[in-house]
Each structure stands twice: as structure tokens, then as C-alpha cells.
Amino acid sequence: MARVEAEPYEFEFDPATTALLMIDFQRDFVYPGGFGEALGNDTSPLLKALPPAGKVLKACRAAGVFVIHTREGHRADLSDLPPAKKARGRGKITIGDVGPMGRLLVRGEVGHDIVEEVYPIAGEPIVDKPGKGAFYATDLDAILKMKGIQKLVVCGVTTEVCVHTSVREANDRGYDALVLSDCVGSYFPEFQRVALEMIKAQGGIFGWVSDSERFLAGLRSAVPSAAGAAAG
Ligand code: C5J
């Protein structure tokens, strides 16, 4: 059993029944020219999450922790795009329109794919989701159940939107979720702070919060083979 210092209290997990959930580390959110910027955001704050999330990813792979990635996006014909979602944002270009990285938030486009620093490798499922929550209209729950997963360690973007929605959904489905504060990112510092506060408030109303250093220390103490990978 691994033990991680966390708030509101220690998070215990068995690496064999825990998954690392990497949420929406897509060019469309992280880089200029994508959906995030089309909404009027400065995308640069999200880049900060990539180095620590990359370290956690490598260490989890070395420790044999199951890794699963998600991407938010829609079918090319936009048949799964609610009209309200298309209309919202009111930018010059919206979901499905062509930007510098292809059509915004459309599956198969350059902007829709995951950034190199945390790119999936063989054996790591990628779940394509049409909504903010990773469980809505996806087979994520079925995959986690097949693998016997009970706990989730969560990295991704953005903290207050897809990370929050997915952690709430996970909580309602009986999973314990640990969010790593430096491995999640928001366009808004205040939202980042408050979103993390909300997760761990009221005795951990829907999860735990820690950070990459404390998580890696806990993982290393349970699975020493994870140590070299996290350092590299
Ligand atoms: C947003 C996400 N922010 N992945 N999506 O629209 O958080």
C-alpha cells in the first residue's frame, strides 16, 4: 500500500488498483491557436503543468500503474455537439471552425491531439469524450471496472472545468480521486486556487489534493522501481 501526504488527510492506494487519469492535455487547450485561445484565454499558464505531469506519468509507467488519457472533442460532422456549446464563447471562431491547428475541438485534427510531453504510449487507452466530464457518453467507467480500478490519480486541464467535472463524476461512481495541484492547470490563477480548495473542503467532499513531489515520494516508498523514472 502506498501512502501520500495529502489534504484533507493521507491518501492511501494500492498501485495495482489505481489508475493515473490524464485529462485533456490537448494542443487545443495548451497551445496558442486552439480552442482555449479562441475563447479569449492566455494559454501559457497551462504549460506549467506539463513538466510535473510528465514526471508523474513516467513514474506511474515504471511502477506499473494503469494509465488512461482523455481528449475532449467532437465528431467531424458535429452531430454530437450541442448547439448551445457551439454558440457559447462567441469568439471569431468556435468549435468546428478552422484555426491554425485545424478545426477546433474536432477529432482527428492536429489541435485535438495530446501534446508530446505527455503523449500516450501503447497500452494506454485514450478516451474521446464529447463533454467536460470524462464519464459522460464514454466507456471510461467500463474500462476502469474491467481493470479493477478503485482509485484515481488525476492530472490535466483545465482544473475548474474538465478536471473538476470528471472528479465529481468519479466520486459519484465510487472512485477515490487524488488531484495533483501542480499537474493540473487553469487559465485563471484564482480559479486554480478555488477549484483545488473546493475538492478538499468539507472533509474531502469529492476528493483529495496533493502535489507531484508528495505523490512521487509515496509511490517510490511502495514501488522503488518508480524512483529512477521520476528523476529522469
Ligand atoms: C474546457 C477542459 N475548459 N478540458 N475543457 O473547456 O477543461
Side-chain angles (χ1 to χ4, degrees), residues 23-24 26 29 35 39 72 105 129 132 157-163 187:
I23 298 178
D24 299 2
Q26 297 161 254
F29 295 109
F35 176 62
L39 293 176
E72 180 181 349
L105 278 199
K129 61 189 187 62
K132 305 304 180 194
V157 297
T158 62
T159 314
E160 75 280 12
V161 184
C162 290
V163 170
Y187 303 120

Side-chain angles (χ1 to χ4, degrees), residues 14-20 65-68 141 143-153 174-176:
D14 175 354
T17 56
T18 299
L20 174 66
V65 171
F66 180 59
V67 178
I68 189 159
D141 195 39
I143 295 171
L144 296 177
K145 293 235 157 65
M146 294 299 161
K147 290 276 179 189
I149 299 298
Q150 296 166 5
K151 304 205 176 190
L152 301 173
V153 176
Y175 298 98
D176 284 341

Side-chain angles (χ1 to χ4, degrees), residues 11 13 21 51 66 79 109 119 168 174 190 208 210 217 222:
F11 183 81
F13 69 98
L21 180 60
F66 180 59
S79 55
E109 300 288 334
Y119 205 78
R168 290 169 188 239
E190 184 65 358
W208 284 254
S210 187

Side-chain angles (χ1 to χ4, degrees), residues 11 31 41 44 47-48 59 67 86 90 152 157 177 190 206-207 209 224 231:
F11 183 81
Y31 291 161
N41 299 307
S44 60
L47 294 173
K48 281 188 288 189
V67 178
K86 165 85 178 156
R90 300 186 167 188
L152 301 173
V157 297
E190 184 65 358
F206 46 82
V209 176

